[in-house]
Amino acid sequence: MSETPDRQEVVELAKRRGYLYPSFEIYGGASGFWDYGPLGTSLKNEVVDSWREMYVVRHGYEEIETTTVGTEDVYEASGHADGFADVLASCTDCGTFFRADHLVEDHTEVENADGMPKERLGEILAEEGVACPSCGETLDDARVEEFNLMFETNIGPGSARPGYLRPETAQGIFVDFQRLKRYYRGSLPFGVTQVGRAYRNEINPRQGIVRLREFSQAELEYFKKPDDEIDIAPVEDVEVRLYPVDEQEDEDGEPFVTTVGDAVEDGVIDSPTIAYFVGRSQEWYESIGIDPAKLRFRQHLPDERAHYASDCWDGETLTTYGWIEVNGVADRADYDLRKHAEHSGEEMGVFEEYDEAVVREETVADPDMSVLGPEYGGAASRIADALREKARDEPGAFGGDEVNVTVDGEGYTVPVEAAGFERREVRETGENVMPQVIEPSYGLDRIVYSVIEHSYGTDTVEDEERTVLRLPPGVAPFDAAVFPLVSKDGLDEHAREVRDALRDAGLRVKYDDSGSMGRRYRRHDEIGTPLAVTVDYDTKEDGTVTLRDRDTTEQRRVDKNEVAEEVRSVVEGV
RNA sequence: GCACCGGUGGUCUAGUGGUAUGACAAGGGCCUUCCAAGCCCUUAACACGGGUUCGAGUCCCGUCCGGUGCACCA
């Protein structure tokens, strides 16, 4: 396990070296908002690139980009408008927050307090003399306020139409589902990804970059038939640390390490598809520098599941903030598509053809209303309905000259010719199914922060302590640094040529000729640059440069014409 | 949101009412043949807004930000 760093030192380094900046710092800042500096942006881009490499490139889960502002309909359908808009009552004596509707329901005769306006809830609390469950003081002067975690805005001038900043990127994919289903030519399963910002107006975010009001998500919505499961074979041997509900509820319960294959076989993870994405997540985390000893997957307890999820496994990393959630693999079932189908009236299902068409016999009645109408007057249409029902359920009743039905306790006898009874063959080639959704969703900011913490370390080089970010070469902000041994005798010009050659080869390179060699090595150790290329007097003689490794500090000589390939083979892990 | 503590150059820091100390870092120059060397010069701070006072980094109030605990986290 990597050492546990001092958070102050990590945050200080991140700010000082250009990884993370508090937003609007010159105006005092605002909690829950952080900017990425040049190095942070580069690191985050590398992390996002490798995420895309995994899902978009290797799995073919193509990426879309949807708006960050959504209309009210979207979030009414998704449940966020209600789910996010709790009425909170805060005790003026001890400051504790409570759900006002829960207080009213639990402590008075009033039922169905959910959805009551805040004014009414406040009145009830005062009238009924409800006491604060925390300190016992009466809540007659409690502050009762609606708090919606979604940022609200207006679409167009005035306040005609409310809009919300999206609280997750997922809804954009669900809302576009009909188009996406046509894009994938109507066949399940398929996956759609999105990377982007989401917004939650947290009550009091205080954990640095771990709890943000504006944050970046990378989400995959994997749409499948109810009994489709991804084959776990590619990840069955991947070792994962799991913390299922049983272990969490058991006093002596502990997370344990197993393989994805065994987790499915032993029924620890019900859904092979969820297990597959847990395995892929594990592999990906290790590739970007998350310490596997500080990584686990914890199953949500039933009462912490989101309103849409039937099962959920969270990836968690151990940081100086404790275990923090960095991703969730949630079984959203058909919740979202069903809700959007209901609210929009649109068909969200996918037509699935059977392997073989099913042919079955159907019995139907098509009553002749020109006979029934004049004969039975006002009862005619109900009699017709009864005939249709009878044709379906009791076809034998149509065998004679007449058929009897009962409507509202009164019997009617109808000539069988008027019933329009028919036996016919029906060929069913398939059915509409509502896709089930498995959603792996990643919190990029927390992941980037975890990578920084897990990479942070100190060691001793030549009796001097140094700070080093042991970032995997593939995600480090710079691929290499280029130094002239001294900035005279033409070595500096030579070094700039080497820099330019590396840049032409598509590598991210920083040139540095300030201070001593040792100082430059330290600078780049601290920001995690994996390799340093030094141009010295021998370069002029034999065309070789030294290539110095960040982690071992070992050096070797490489021909300057081959240095680009050498660097590339390290950063690409070949 | 409540309570307590804190906020001085990029970083760390001295400063108990009289125009802010030092170090490191950074930039320029000299020097320099591979792991924070040396010399010269330079840049650069009292979180913000009020108040008390002849005078406020210092005392008071409010706000913002951070830390810790409580609460919140669909």
Side-chain angles (χ1 to χ4, degrees):
Chain A
M1 201 190 309
S2 58
E3 57 203 294
T4 300
D6 181 301
R7 189 195 306 158
Q8 297 304 322
E9 286 177 15
V10 174
V11 171
E12 189 270 309
L13 182 149
K15 286 199 277 195
R16 182 164 45 82
R17 288 300 192 186
Y19 275 98
L20 298 168
Y21 302 145
S23 301
F24 341 111
E25 201 176 9
I26 63 166
Y27 293 113
S31 92
F33 295 97
W34 284 76
D35 296 339
Y36 285 93
L39 296 184
T41 303
S42 180
L43 172 59
K44 183 184 171 195
N45 286 343
E46 294 288 344
V47 167
V48 172
D49 282 351
S50 82
W51 189 88
R52 289 192 170 113
E53 172 70 19
M54 166 176 63
Y55 282 135
V56 183
V57 178
R58 290 186 191 277
H59 288 79
Y61 302 150
E62 293 174 60
E63 181 177 357
I64 67 168
E65 184 165 332
T66 69
T67 59
T68 56
V69 175
T71 59
E72 195 165 36
D73 310 311
V74 174
Y75 298 108
E76 277 173 0
S78 70
H80 289 93
D82 290 339
F84 269 56
D86 295 333
V87 178
L88 299 180
S90 59
C91 174
T92 42
D93 290 293
C94 66
T96 311
F97 272 103
F98 302 97
R99 284 276 297 266
D101 53 337
H102 289 183
L103 276 178
V104 165
E105 284 179 10
D106 293 349
H107 297 282
T108 72
E109 299 299 308
V110 180
E111 287 172 14
N112 306 322
D114 189 14
M116 276 186 186
K118 63 182 182 196
E119 293 79 10
R120 181 75 194 118
L121 288 166
E123 285 166 20
I124 295 172
L125 288 176
E127 284 164 11
E128 302 278 339
V130 175
C132 171
S134 174
C135 71
E137 292 294 322
T138 56
L139 290 170
D140 52 358
D141 58 348
R143 252 196 309 270
V144 181
E145 285 165 348
E146 205 165 86
F147 191 81
N148 193 312
L149 251 43
M150 285 197 291
F151 283 98
E152 205 173 339
T153 185
N154 296 310
I155 298 174
S159 53
R161 198 174 183 200
Y164 297 94
L165 297 188
R166 63 184 180 191
E168 59 174 12
T169 55
Q171 293 307 320
I173 296 175
F174 298 133
V175 167
D176 283 350
F177 181 72
Q178 285 185 312
R179 294 266 177 206
L180 290 165
K181 142 180 121 176
R182 278 182 214 113
Y183 176 83
Y184 282 102
R185 298 204 298 273
S187 60
L188 293 173
F190 62 82
V192 180
T193 53
Q194 176 159 217
V195 178
R197 299 270 183 162
Y199 305 82
R200 296 180 192 183
N201 201 1
E202 299 284 351
I203 294 173
N204 183 20
R206 262 199 335 199
Q207 293 156 284
I209 199 167
V210 165
R211 189 95 168 277
L212 294 176
R213 288 180 164 133
E214 173 172 346
F215 57 100
S216 294
Q217 284 189 311
E219 294 195 309
L220 159 63
E221 306 301 331
Y222 181 75
F223 298 95
K224 65 183 194 67
K225 283 187 270 187
D227 50 2
D228 268 347
E229 297 292 350
I230 296 184
D231 180 8
I232 62 166
V235 294
E236 67 184 349
D237 295 327
V238 173
E239 289 199 338
V240 287
R241 178 174 290 99
L242 299 182
Y243 198 16
V245 165
D246 290 351
E247 296 295 323
Q248 293 172 62
E249 285 177 342
D250 180 348
E251 220 170 287
D252 303 319
E254 289 286 340
F256 55 87
V257 176
T258 182
T259 63
V260 170
D262 288 345
V264 171
E265 194 161 320
D266 301 341
V268 178
I269 302 180
D270 266 345
S271 154
T273 303
I274 288 182
Y276 177 82
F277 289 123
V278 165
R280 285 299 188 200
S281 300
Q282 173 82 27
E283 289 180 325
W284 179 63
Y285 283 131
E286 290 187 42
S287 78
I288 60 169
I290 295 295
D291 180 350
K294 295 179 173 178
L295 174 63
R296 70 181 187 192
F297 293 87
R298 188 178 67 82
Q299 187 178 24
H300 271 201
L301 296 167
D303 62 359
E304 64 179 319
R305 279 180 206 142
H307 59 269
Y308 48 73
S310 56
D311 191 12
C312 185
W313 286 80
D314 279 350
E316 297 183 327
T317 57
L318 182 60
T319 68
T320 57
Y321 292 99
W323 287 98
I324 60 170
E325 176 191 347
V326 289
N327 84 297
V329 182
D331 181 354
R332 294 178 81 129
D334 63 358
Y335 178 88
D336 301 276
L337 292 179
R338 204 178 69 238
K339 287 291 183 186
H340 284 300
E342 285 168 9
H343 280 254
S344 66
E346 299 286 331
E347 175 56 67
M348 292 292 188
V350 171
F351 185 79
E352 281 296 326
E353 215 167 294
Y354 298 138
D355 293 339
E356 207 173 328
V358 175
V359 180
R360 60 181 174 78
E361 191 171 76
E362 194 175 70
T363 51
V364 293
D366 183 12
D368 184 347
M369 295 311 285
S370 65
V371 175
L372 267 55
E375 182 70 27
Y376 303 107
S381 73
R382 274 168 292 152
I383 291 170
D385 286 343
L387 286 168
R388 291 188 190 100
E389 198 176 314
K390 196 154 194 142
R392 194 174 64 234
D393 300 339
E394 208 183 314
F398 292 81
D401 294 339
E402 292 175 330
V403 55
N404 296 307
V405 293
T406 305
V407 171
D408 294 338
E410 195 165 334
Y412 296 91
T413 302
V414 180
V416 78
E417 310 90 63
F421 180 78
E422 189 187 2
R423 271 177 206 278
R424 63 185 188 194
E425 268 191 1
V426 179
R427 231 176 99 82
E428 287 183 349
T429 56
E431 66 182 329
N432 251 332
V433 299
M434 197 58 93
Q436 303 286 306
V437 175
I438 302 292
E439 175 194 75
S441 169
Y442 300 78
L444 293 172
D445 312 280
R446 289 180 172 190
I447 291 169
V448 167
Y449 181 75
S450 300
V451 167
I452 293 173
E453 267 204 9
H454 290 190
S455 301
Y456 183 94
T458 53
D459 59 16
T460 303
V461 174
E462 314 249 326
D463 296 327
E464 293 276 358
E465 183 169 283
R466 67 163 182 167
T467 302
V468 54
L469 273 192
R470 295 188 190 88
L471 295 168
V475 300
F478 287 106
D479 297 321
V482 175
F483 312 139
L485 184 59
V486 292
S487 42
K488 62 174 188 182
D489 299 332
L491 292 188
D492 47 345
E493 285 153 41
H494 215 124
R496 286 197 190 89
E497 284 167 21
V498 171
R499 172 199 65 189
D500 292 342
L502 292 176
R503 285 181 176 170
D504 286 347
L507 295 163
R508 294 202 47 155
V509 173
K510 189 87 169 171
Y511 175 84
D512 191 350
D513 64 0
S514 160
S516 68
M517 284 304 300
R519 184 183 296 268
R520 290 177 243 165
Y521 285 140
R522 291 294 169 276
R523 273 191 201 123
H524 283 277
D525 288 343
E526 198 173 56
I527 65 173
T529 308
L531 294 167
V533 177
T534 301
V535 169
D536 59 20
Y537 287 98
D538 289 347
T539 311
K540 294 172 85 173
E541 302 295 320
D542 63 7
T544 61
V545 295
T546 61
L547 195 58
R548 180 259 195 187
D549 181 89
R550 175 196 67 203
D551 298 336
T552 63
T553 76
E554 277 167 14
Q555 306 184 3
R556 61 198 168 97
R557 293 205 75 84
V558 174
D559 191 284
K560 70 174 180 182
N561 296 315
E562 288 162 16
V563 72
E565 273 316 301
E566 290 284 336
V567 172
R568 186 182 302 286
S569 75
V570 170
V571 299
E572 288 176 2
V574 179

